[in-house]
Structure formats: C-alpha cells, structure tokens
C-alpha cells in the first residue's frame, strides 16, 4: 500500500476501459458510463480511483461466476479520488467495474471542456474538447489517472447528428440511434489516461495525406481549411522522418491534428488526435512571417515526436516528465532542421537555451528531474528547465557520443520499453550500451543537480590554458560553504577550438575536476571554448583570450558561437562580474551582424536596459540602439530582395522594429506609418516579415485613433496570427489611458482566457503602464484566479519580473506572501529571485549604464 495520499494503491490494476460519453453542448453537460476491467491482486473490500468534479451515481462490480455487487461511492474532492466500498471482501482475480457519472463541460480549458467560436454568420458555435495532461482525465471520467496505469481504451461518443466526433483511433462504427449519432472508435494501444482525447463539434477535415500507411488529416472550425497546407506538410514530413529515426512504425492507426479555438497550452500529444491552439497549427503561407511558420513547424514536429517518446514509452511518474518533453523538444529541432536546413534550427535553439540559462542561473532553480507529489507540482514541471534545459543536455550528449550512436541508443530504449513506462536511468543505460561509455556517470549531475557550470578560461605567458569550473549563479555564493553551490562539479564535454598560424584544430575534452590545464601550441592565435555551441555551460575568457578572439575577428566564429559569447557576457554583466561599459563596448563588434539570433541577444539586452532607466535617460539608450542597429539597417533597407533567405527577411523586421521603438528613430517611424497605410489600402506590397514591426512601431507612437483601428483589426482578423498580432499590439502603446483600456479588456469576453493572462504579463513588462498593471492584478486577483486557466495564471505571474524597482519589488513580495499564493513547485520563488536580480542590477549599475551610454554614443 502506498502512503502517499496523491498516489493510488496498486493492488487493483486496470487493463481496459469501455467508455461511453454523451456530451450536450447546449447545456454544457455530459453523462457517461464506463466499464473498467480490473485485476485485483489481493482480496479487498475497497477500490480507489481518481475522480474530481464528477457525480458518480452507480458503482457495480461484476465477475465471472460471481453475482454482481453494488458498491458505495464516496468522493474525496480534496484528494481527487473516488472510494468505492463493498460490504464484503472481493476475492483476487479479474473483475469489471461499472460506473455511471455526469459532469459539466467547464470553461477552464482542462478536463472535458467547452470552447466557442463565431461562424461566418456571426453566430456562436460550440466545441467540446479535452485536455488531460497532467492530471485532468479524472475530470472527464473516473479512472486510474497515473501514467503508469496503462490500459486499452475503447471509446464511444453519443452526439448531436449535426456534429462530428474525433478520438484517438479510427471510427469502427457510426450509426443513428434515438435521435443521436453513435460513434464507436477502435480500441487504442495500451497507453496512459492523460493521452486519451475526444473532440466534438462542427469541425472540418482536410483530405488525408498518407505518411507510410498512416492517413494524416488536419481539422479546423469551418472556414479555416485554407490555412492547413503548411501544417499538413510538416506533419507528414516529420511523421516519416521520426518513424525512420526511431526505427519503429507510427504506433497509432491514423493521425488527426485538430485546431481548437480555446486551448490553454500550445498543443497536446494525445495519441492519434493531437490538439493545438490555432496559432500553433493554422497559418496563411502568403502572409505569415518566418517566425510564425517556425512556430507551427516546431509544435507539429514536437507533438509528432511524442507519439513514440511519451505515448509509446511513457515516464513512470511526473518527476520523469523531462524525459518526455526534453526529448520531444530535441527531436523537434532534428526534424525541422532536416525539413528546412536553411532555417538553421540549431542556431535558433540558442534563444531557447538562453531562456533555460536565465532560470537555471538562479539559486532557486531545480534539477531537471525533481520530486513531484501533488497535481499542482506536476503542472509546475512544464517549464524551461524541463523543455529547454533538458533538450540542451540531450543535444550536448548527442554531440559527445555521436549522432548515430545516440540514435541507436534511443531505438534500443524505445524497443525495450514499448507500451510500458520507463525511468531516466533506463535511457542512460540504453545510450551507455550503444556508446560503450559510462553515460549515467556523465549525465547524473546534469539531470539530478540544479544549475550549470561557468568555465573560466585564463592563459599564462607560457601558453598554458587553465579551464576552471564552478556553478554559475547571478547572485554570489559563498565558496566556503560545504556542499554549497560553489562546490558542485560536472563532467563537461568540452569542444575546444585552437587556432594557430597553420589552421584550426578542435579537441574534445571531458573536463571533470575543478581545474583543467591544456598546453597550447607555441604559435596559437586564439582559443574558443564550446566550439559549435552545443554545451550547456557558460564561458568567460580573460582579457588576453578575449582580445585574441577579437583580433581574429568575431565574424570568423559560427553564429551560435557569437550568440554564446554575447549571451554569456551579458549574463555575467547582470551578475555583476563584468562592468556594463565592457559589455556595451563588445556590442560595437556586432554592427555588421547578419544573424537574427545573435541580434536577439543584443536587442534583448537593450530592452532589459530600457527597464532600468528613467524616462529622462531613455534618449541615451535610443542613441545607442541607432548607433548599433543603423549599419545593419543601411545594408538591409526596407525591401526584401529576390533570393534572400528567410532569416534575412526576419532580421529586417527585427531591425526595423528596434529602430522605430527602442531607437526612437523618427524617420523610420514616419516611413513605417506611410508604408503601413499604403499596404492596408493595397497600394503597396510588403514582405510579411516587416508587418509585425510596422504594427509595433505604430502602436509605440500611436494615439486613440490608431488604437481603435488595431482593435478593429483584432476583431476582424483573417488568420490566427493576425488576430494575435493585433491583440498584443494593444499592450504595446505608450499612452497610459489606452493601455488601461487593454487592461480592462483582459477580464471581459472580448479576449479569450487562453490569451488574456499573456496580455497581462506583457502589460506588466511595459514600462509605461507597469505600476497600474500591477495594481490591476492585485485588485482583480480573485477574478483572474477564477477566470484564467491555471497554466495561464502561472505564466502571467512571470510578468512581475518586469516590476524592477525596489518599491515595486517590496510590494510584489508582500502581496504574494499575504495572499499565500502558491504557483506550484518553485515557480513563484524563481519569479521573485529574478525580480530581485533585476532590482539589484538596477541599483548597482544604473549610474554606470548611464555613463557608459553617454560615452558609447558621443
Ligand atoms: Zn511536449
């Protein structure tokens, strides 16, 4: 027996669910009946399973050669359990549990929920959809809602005959009965409850395209079928690519990808019935930007990767969630990189890796694999440490042992654990066998300990290079504390590139001690650590080494290497290890930069500086931005050229936006307004990648008339991307009265709850409204808590990191403390530490930054 109240006892094991559901979209309710086949291991008079927000009216247990017996049902709402007791002991053996229940189609975007959209005539239409991960299948039907209780699901939906039903498997029977359409689906493979899905509504499919023997279709609400071609192409490509990589055929009998009008996260990997928010699946190829296309490609490939990694082989418990998500994220890069090599997907991954670094540099970070008990803790695991740090360390390992060996280890792991569950160590064992190396020893610190190393490189006059490791933290730690962060050591696969007069050589080292020495050849000219940029560690060079790199020329480095150099230096600046003037001097070398990802670091750092300055000092920053960005803009101009890559087009948009907003370039602002109006009136063609920049600039400089125009565009948008662009433009104005209108709208039906918390977070980051936005959050907290999906509320709170003044920080801390708000896991603690680091940086360096800015642009 398990003593953990959040874990079910394991002497009763389900193997098969025969589930029938009858949703009524007009009354927003459903009724259901389930017959669960059970193996009872030892005599018992009690069966415990999960259920919450359900009424379970009847419980009956039947078995061969036994008289059916009724059970008494007790719902334990706080533990989300249903306890069924019988008057006498049930002998061990196979039994069938029959349960009748009813529930509500809720509006919280979890469990079995309700979504709405307006049809072409402007009438409200309804969709019922499911979202079960992590622990919400129990809101749709009583079940053993833990990932290791895998079972076969046979699902039947009784629906209004005018509607369509989709579930994990093919339809095996579809008939009319008593005014209802009864749709029966094929039995699923053995899988976890969180992967079950059913969707009911007026939905339209594409014609199927075959990926091997699997028909692949995209579904949308009526009218959006023209937006499916792009997603369809990557869906089919990635499914073929993945089946080939894994060496195992796709485990389902069909694959449907379904865009749902209201959806809390990006997408959900239900076997054979993947659900998406519309922006992550549908787009218009003629008007979408490179970034918007990249997002759809990423999400589709990611979810497809889960069909094997997650669905076929599943983590045994939620502490192992990282294995699912990090791996799907890793495979998403691999698949998209194979599909569009010109997108340089692994360089773009630098941006995601940087997001993981910024949380993992906190004292309140957590290990990738981390204990989970309550459902709220499981929800908190969906963060950058699970996805992006996890994927980063997998990439580091893959590059260390070699891509083919890595793939063979993955194949071995999947074959061994197919239809079952696995632990992290199972993957290491499989990879270790394939690589013939001690992979567990190599990976343990990366997975089971928090943080990551900083490698400090110094060289002496004799040409001896010393590589010293210690944990990187934004806040100084005491090196004298036994077992403190400063004593942690990692086994670090290090790629060291040494350039001499004769050329370059790259050495693969495994740095495991505190210091590692390398004797450089006498004619060395430069040294680069983390060559190719796959390592999950930061690097600092002493002044000699940095000067040598600059002498050789930073443009000689690969984009991801320049990215890392800038990003690591900026992080060290925030941490107080590098003076701001030094960082700003380094940025001089990037005026001719042509890679949008490297620019993302530069522009991100300028935006952070903008947060620290008072309005009086912002013209200094604007001058710096014009100085750094100007040359790139001169070479790119306003107009896309024939044969230009998608990345250059994306960069042009980023550069124009930076000049027109942070750079306050009035010529660019005026031209943006002219270009936008000419484009709207169809007098001018504009590359789609520029449009978001124009919208941002016009909001930044905009008045009430512009606000109303953008609000109208939001309501009349023709694609999910356009809708999102104009919605978020409403948080990018500078006029406080206009921003207050946006704030007020976040609590109304005008904005979907899938978007509203993210809009609030954007407003908390906007320096022209952040105080009022924070006051608004405090005043409306209870309503937001009721209204918004839990995951959205948690993300919204991340916006407090933008409140970087000592007064606001005090107020934020007091509010969360007094209201006893818990966002699950370490989430809140991390937000508060990030805020504290921002305030510390501001208080310590605001004066230095002002001086450095004045110097830099004299
Ligand atoms: Zn995922």
């Amino acid at each position: 027996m398990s003593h953990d109240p959040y874990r079910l006892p394991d002497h009763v094991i389900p193997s098969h669910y025969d589930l029938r559901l009858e949703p009524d979209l007009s009354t927003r309710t459903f009724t259901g009946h389930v017959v669960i086949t059970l193996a009872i291991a030892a005599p018992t008079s009690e069966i415990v399973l999960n259920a919450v927000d359900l009424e379970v009216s009847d419980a009956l247990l039947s078995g061969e050669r036994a008289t059916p017996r009724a059970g008494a049902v007790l719902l334990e709402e706080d533990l989300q359990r249903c306890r069924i007791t019988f008057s006498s002991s049930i002998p061990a053996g196979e039994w069938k549990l029959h349960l009748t229940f009813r529930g509500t189609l809720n509006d919280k975007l979890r469990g079995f929920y309700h979504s709405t959209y307006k049809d072409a005539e402007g009438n409200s239409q309804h969709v019922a959809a499911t979202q079960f991960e992590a622990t919400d299948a129990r809101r749709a039907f009583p079940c053993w809602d833990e990932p290791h209780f895998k079972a076969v699901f046979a699902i039947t939906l009784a629906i209004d005959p005018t509607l369509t039903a989709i579930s994990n498997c093919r339809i095996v029977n579809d008939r009319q009965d008593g005014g209802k359409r009864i749709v029966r689906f094929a039995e699923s493979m053995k899988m976890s409850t969180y992967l079950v899905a059913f969707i009911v509504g007026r939905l339209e499919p594409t014609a199927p395209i075959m990926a091997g023997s699997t028909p692949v279709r995209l579904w949308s609400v009526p009218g959006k079928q023209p937006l499916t071609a792009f997603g369809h192409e990557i869906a089919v490509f990635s499914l073929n690519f993945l089946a080939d990589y894994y060496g195992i055929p796709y485990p389902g009998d069909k694959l449907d990808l379904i865009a749902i009008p209201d959806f809390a996260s990006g997408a959900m990997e239900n076997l054979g019935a993947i659900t998406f928010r519309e922006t992550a699946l549908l787009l218009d190829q003629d008007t979408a930007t490179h970034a918007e296309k990249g997002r759809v490609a990423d999400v589709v490939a990611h979810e497809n990767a889960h069909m094997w990694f997650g669905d076929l082989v599943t983590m045994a418990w939620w502490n192992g969630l990282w294995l699912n998500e990090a791996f799907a994220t890793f495979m998403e890069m691999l698949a998209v990189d194979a599909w569009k090599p010109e997108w340089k997907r692994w360089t773009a991954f630098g941006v995601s890796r940087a997001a993981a670094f910024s949380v993992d540099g906190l004292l309140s970070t957590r290990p990738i694999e981390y204990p989970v008990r309550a459902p709220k803790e499981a929800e908190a695991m969906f963060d950058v440490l699970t996805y992006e740090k996890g994927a980063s360390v997998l990439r580091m390992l893959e590059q260390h042992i070699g891509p083919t060996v890595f793939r063979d280890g993955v194949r071995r792991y999947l074959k061994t654990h197919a239809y079952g569950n696995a632990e992290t160590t199972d993957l290491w064992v499989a990879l270790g066998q394939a690589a013939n190396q001690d992979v567990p020893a190599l990976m343990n610190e990366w997975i089971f300990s928090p943080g990551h190393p900083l490698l400090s490189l110094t060289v002496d006059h004799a040409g001896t290079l010393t590589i010293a490791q210690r944990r990187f933290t934004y806040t100084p730690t005491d090196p004298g504390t036994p077992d403190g962060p400063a004593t942690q050591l990692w086994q670090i696969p290090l790629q060291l590139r040494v350039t001499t007069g004769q050329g370059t050589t790259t050495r693969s080292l495994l740095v495991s001690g505190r210091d590692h020495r390398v004797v450089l050849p006498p004619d060395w000219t430069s040294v680069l650590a983390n060559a190719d940029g796959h390592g999950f560690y930061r690097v600092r060079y002493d002044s000699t080494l940095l000067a040598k790199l600059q002498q050789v020329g930073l443009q000689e480095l690969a984009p991801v290497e320049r990215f890392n150099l800038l990003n690591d230096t900026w992080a060290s600046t925030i941490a107080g290890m590098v003076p701001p003037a030094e960082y700003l001097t380094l940025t001089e070398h990037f005026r001719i930069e042509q890679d949008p990802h490297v620019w993302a670091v530069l522009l991100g750092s300028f935006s952070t500086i903008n947060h620290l300055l008072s309005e009086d000092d912002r013209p200094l920053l604007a001058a710096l931005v014009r100085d750094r960005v100007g040359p790139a803009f001169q070479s790119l101009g306003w107009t896309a050229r024939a044969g230009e890559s998608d990345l250059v087009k994306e960069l042009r948009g980023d550069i124009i936006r930076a000049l027109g907003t942070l750079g306050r370039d009035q010529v660019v602002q005026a031209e943006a307004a002219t270009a936008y109006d000419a484009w709207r009136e169809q007098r001018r063609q504009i590359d789609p990648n520029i449009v978001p920049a124009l919208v941002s600039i016009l909001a930044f400089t905009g008045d009430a008339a512009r606000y109303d125009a953008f609000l109208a565009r939001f309501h009349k948008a023709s694609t999910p991307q356009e809708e999102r662009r104009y919605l978020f433009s409403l948080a990018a104005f500078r006029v406080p009265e206009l921003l207050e209108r946006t704030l007020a709208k976040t609590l109304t039906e005008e904005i979907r709850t899938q978007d509203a918390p993210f809009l609030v977070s954007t407003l908390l980051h906007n320096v022209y409204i952040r105080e009022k936005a924070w006051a608004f959050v405090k005043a409306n907290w209870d309503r937001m808590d009721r209204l918004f999906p839990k995951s959205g509320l948690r993300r919204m709170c991340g916006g407090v990191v933008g409140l970087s003044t000592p007064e606001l920080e005090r107020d934020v801390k007091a509010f969360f403390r007094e209201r006893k708000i818990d966002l699950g896991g370490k989430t809140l603690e991390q937000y508060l530490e990030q805020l504290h680091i921002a305030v510390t940086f501001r208080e310590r360096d605001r004066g230095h930054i002002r001086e450095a800015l004045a110097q830099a642009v004299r």
Side-chain angles (χ1 to χ4, degrees):
M1 279 286 274
S2 164
H3 295 287
D4 183 341
Y6 295 108
R7 301 297 293 266
L8 295 171
D10 55 10
H11 63 287
V12 180
I13 310 276
S15 60
H16 187 281
Y17 292 74
D18 203 330
L19 174 64
R20 181 192 157 107
L21 284 157
E22 191 166 330
D24 183 335
L25 274 60
S26 58
T27 59
R28 302 192 181 185
T29 55
F30 62 91
T31 55
H33 186 79
V34 64
V35 182
I36 312 173
T37 308
L38 303 172
I40 297 182
T44 181
S45 60
E46 186 178 79
I47 294 175
V48 185
L49 65 165
N50 293 114
V52 67
D53 291 346
L54 290 176
E55 265 176 61
V56 182
S57 51
D58 284 302
L60 197 76
L61 195 70
S62 65
E64 263 182 63
R65 296 189 299 278
T67 325
R69 41 184 113 187
V73 178
L74 175 72
L75 288 166
E76 301 173 327
E77 283 290 325
D78 52 338
L79 291 173
Q80 306 188 349
R81 301 202 298 204
C82 174
R83 188 178 290 273
I84 302 164
T85 44
F86 299 89
S87 52
S88 58
S89 180
I90 306 151
E94 187 177 291
W95 294 85
K96 287 190 192 309
L97 178 64
H98 307 245
L99 299 170
T100 304
F101 54 94
R102 56 190 304 125
T104 305
L105 294 171
N106 70 77
D107 58 3
K108 295 296 173 336
L109 316 191
R110 63 171 173 171
F112 199 9
Y113 74 91
H114 177 268
S115 170
T116 54
Y117 66 94
K118 291 255 193 306
D119 64 18
E121 285 75 47
N123 302 315
S124 279
Q125 296 287 348
H126 309 282
V127 175
T130 54
Q131 167 60 41
F132 291 164
E133 195 181 19
T135 59
D136 291 326
R138 64 188 71 171
R139 293 173 190 278
F141 62 100
C143 56
W144 274 257
D145 197 14
E146 297 179 10
H148 66 106
F149 287 118
K150 285 197 169 186
V152 170
F153 294 85
I155 294 171
T156 304
L157 293 173
I159 61 172
D160 182 315
T162 62
L163 303 179
T164 302
I166 310 164
S167 184
N168 303 90
C169 299
R170 285 180 199 241
I171 295 173
V172 288
N173 195 293
D174 192 344
R175 62 190 169 86
Q176 303 277 335
D177 184 16
K180 288 278 175 184
R181 180 176 170 195
I182 314 295
V183 185
R184 182 163 180 88
F185 298 91
E187 288 195 337
S188 75
M189 69 177 189
K190 209 176 153 202
M191 65 181 194
S192 306
T193 45
Y194 80 91
L195 295 168
V196 173
F198 22 90
I199 301 97
V200 176
R202 206 156 275 131
L203 296 162
E204 293 178 347
T206 60
I209 299 178
M210 300 304 287
S213 58
T214 307
V216 179
R217 291 179 297 183
L218 263 64
W219 294 76
S220 71
V221 300
K224 293 193 172 169
Q225 281 293 306
L227 306 177
T228 52
F230 182 87
H232 213 165
E233 191 185 335
I234 178 62
V236 172
F237 176 89
S238 59
L239 204 69
N240 284 325
F241 174 86
L242 291 158
D244 182 52
Y245 183 93
Y246 293 131
I248 299 174
Y250 167 68
D253 63 7
K254 55 89 181 173
L255 180 60
D256 289 319
L257 298 91
I258 310 128
I260 309 286
D262 295 280
F263 199 81
S265 64
M268 176 62 212
E269 68 266 26
N270 316 299
L271 178 80
I274 306 175
T275 42
F276 293 78
R277 70 164 57 201
E278 289 187 339
T279 49
L281 184 63
L282 307 176
L283 60 72
D284 172 11
Q285 304 205 63
D286 295 331
T287 61
T289 66
H290 170 64
E292 289 160 352
K293 288 177 184 169
R295 159 114 170 116
V296 168
D298 284 353
V299 179
V300 169
H302 177 106
E303 303 309 324
N304 277 355
H306 273 311
M307 297 300 110
W308 292 260
F309 221 103
D311 293 10
L312 182 64
V313 179
T314 312
M315 72 266 144
W317 180 244
W318 297 107
N319 62 332
L321 177 71
W322 85 272
L323 206 54
N324 265 11
E325 294 304 346
F327 206 86
T329 304
F330 171 83
M331 289 306 298
E332 145 201 343
M333 311 296 151
L334 223 51
V336 173
D337 191 48
W339 188 47
K340 301 269 184 196
E342 68 276 18
W343 284 3
K344 311 269 187 257
R345 192 61 190 86
W346 283 109
T347 306
F349 183 62
V351 178
S352 312
R353 194 191 287 113
F357 274 135
S358 71
V359 174
D360 202 42
L362 303 175
L363 294 172
S364 56
T365 187
R366 61 169 176 83
I368 289 178
E369 185 159 330
Y370 189 64
V372 168
R373 290 178 68 231
K376 195 174 218 172
E377 292 168 358
E379 298 294 337
M381 292 293 278
F382 291 84
D383 67 0
V384 292
L385 298 171
T386 291
Y387 286 72
E388 280 80 13
K389 183 181 177 185
S392 299
V393 301
L394 288 176
R395 176 65 167 172
M396 182 166 67
L397 178 64
E398 183 224 23
Q399 293 293 305
H400 181 65
I401 64 177
T404 308
V405 171
F406 184 86
R407 188 203 62 195
D408 291 348
V410 170
R411 288 178 173 182
R412 184 189 291 253
Y413 165 84
L414 288 174
K415 282 209 176 70
T416 309
H417 302 284
Y419 308 103
N421 299 85
E423 305 277 353
T424 297
T425 44
D426 296 322
L427 178 64
W428 298 155
V429 166
L431 288 169
Q433 284 168 347
N436 218 350
Q437 285 187 38
D438 193 355
V439 171
L442 175 66
M443 296 308 287
N444 273 344
E445 190 73 9
W446 296 100
I447 303 298
F448 297 107
S449 296
H452 57 270
L454 168 71
L455 291 186
S456 298
L457 272 64
T458 50
V459 67
D460 65 16
H461 60 274
T464 302
L465 180 73
T466 302
I467 303 163
Q469 66 157 304
R470 71 176 169 86
R471 179 166 157 194
F472 176 90
T473 52
Y474 289 99
T475 310
T477 54
D478 182 358
T481 314
D483 304 324
T487 64
Q488 273 180 261
L489 288 176
W490 286 261
Q491 290 196 30
I492 306 168
L494 171 66
Q495 300 290 315
L496 190 74
R497 187 187 303 147
V498 178
T499 305
T500 66
Q502 269 71 55
T504 62
T505 46
T506 303
R507 301 185 202 182
S508 295
L509 307 172
L510 195 63
V511 174
S512 52
R514 189 152 300 285
D515 297 307
H516 191 97
R517 278 178 184 61
V518 176
V519 178
L520 296 174
D523 59 340
W524 72 278
T525 52
S526 72
V527 172
L528 181 85
N530 200 5
D532 299 328
H534 304 297
F536 194 78
Y537 47 85
R538 294 196 184 276
V539 177
R540 263 190 81 192
Y541 299 97
D542 70 8
S543 53
T544 309
L545 290 164
L546 187 60
K548 293 268 195 186
L549 273 176
Q550 290 174 356
Q551 273 164 28
V552 173
L554 298 182
Q555 290 301 321
E556 296 297 309
L557 304 180
V560 70
E561 294 165 354
R562 292 197 296 279
F563 180 101
N564 286 343
L565 176 66
L566 259 181
N567 190 47
D568 291 350
T569 309
W570 176 237
S572 297
T573 309
I574 294 172
M577 293 184 263
V578 170
E582 201 175 308
Y583 173 75
L584 290 175
T585 305
L586 180 64
T587 64
E588 284 177 14
H589 295 268
F590 292 85
R591 287 197 184 97
I592 49 165
E593 180 61 53
Q594 290 285 319
D595 186 277
H597 314 108
V598 179
W599 273 109
V601 183
L602 290 160
L603 300 176
S605 67
F606 298 154
S607 170
T608 301
I609 291 173
N610 187 50
H611 266 78
L612 311 182
L613 298 175
S614 64
E615 185 61 17
D616 294 344
D617 292 332
R618 290 201 177 107
L620 287 173
L621 174 65
L624 178 96
V625 171
R626 291 195 298 275
D627 177 80
R628 298 299 191 259
V629 174
F633 175 64
Q634 293 306 326
S635 80
L636 292 168
W638 282 91
T639 319
R641 292 172 201 132
E644 216 172 50
S645 76
D646 290 347
L647 291 181
V648 170
K649 289 181 181 148
E650 181 185 24
L651 176 61
R652 179 179 293 108
D654 296 345
I655 292 291
I656 290 174
R657 180 195 284 111
L659 271 181
T661 57
L662 278 182
R664 303 186 179 193
D665 187 314
Q666 291 179 1
V667 178
V668 168
Q669 291 173 347
E671 175 57 21
T674 308
Y676 178 84
D677 291 334
W679 170 71
R680 285 290 320 149
E681 291 157 19
Q682 301 188 336
R683 288 184 282 111
R684 198 193 287 188
Q685 290 230 319
I686 285 187
D687 178 66
N689 292 283
I690 309 282
V691 174
L694 301 184
V695 171
S696 294
I697 295 170
L698 266 58
F700 186 77
T701 56
D703 57 8
R706 190 63 82 183
Y707 186 95
D708 290 335
F710 282 7
L711 182 61
R713 298 294 334 145
F714 160 62
H715 285 301
K716 287 193 215 117
S718 60
T719 68
Q721 286 73 24
E722 189 185 18
E723 182 179 310
R724 185 180 185 283
R725 179 175 311 142
Y726 284 104
L727 173 61
F728 280 83
S729 80
L730 303 179
F733 282 74
R734 277 188 296 174
V735 181
E737 296 74 42
L738 300 176
L739 294 167
E740 281 177 61
R741 281 174 65 186
T742 310
L743 262 181
K745 286 179 195 299
T746 59
L747 292 173
T748 67
E749 286 192 357
E750 200 173 346
I751 298 175
R752 292 182 186 276
T753 60
Q754 67 168 10
D755 299 319
F758 295 93
L759 200 62
V760 174
S761 178
T762 308
L763 288 159
L764 286 166
H765 274 289
N766 182 328
V767 294
Y768 299 99
I769 194 71
R770 59 184 171 183
E771 284 87 357
K772 282 191 175 140
W774 171 239
F776 183 84
V777 168
K778 284 194 293 181
N780 294 289
W781 177 265
D782 292 330
R783 256 177 94 185
M784 290 175 166
D785 193 20
R786 264 199 319 277
L787 216 56
F788 296 163
K790 292 289 166 242
S791 58
L793 191 79
R794 199 171 65 239
R795 298 284 171 88
M796 179 189 86
C797 291
V800 303
V801 177
L803 304 173
S804 48
T805 70
E807 304 74 41
L808 283 169
E809 186 196 3
R810 270 195 297 280
D811 193 56
V812 166
K813 284 191 168 153
F815 175 76
F816 285 111
R817 190 176 55 237
E818 281 158 22
R819 299 295 303 262
K820 298 191 171 61
I821 291 162
D822 175 11
L823 301 175
K826 293 188 151 211
T827 309
L828 181 59
E829 205 185 328
Q830 289 168 355
Y831 292 156
L832 295 179
E833 189 184 344
Q834 283 179 305
L835 173 58
H836 186 67
I837 289 163
V839 172
T840 306
F841 183 33
R842 175 187 192 265
E843 295 305 293
R844 183 187 64 223
D845 278 328
R846 194 158 45 130
H848 301 133
I849 288 173
R850 200 187 301 126
E851 282 165 31
L853 286 172
Q855 289 280 330
V857 296
R858 253 188 329 191

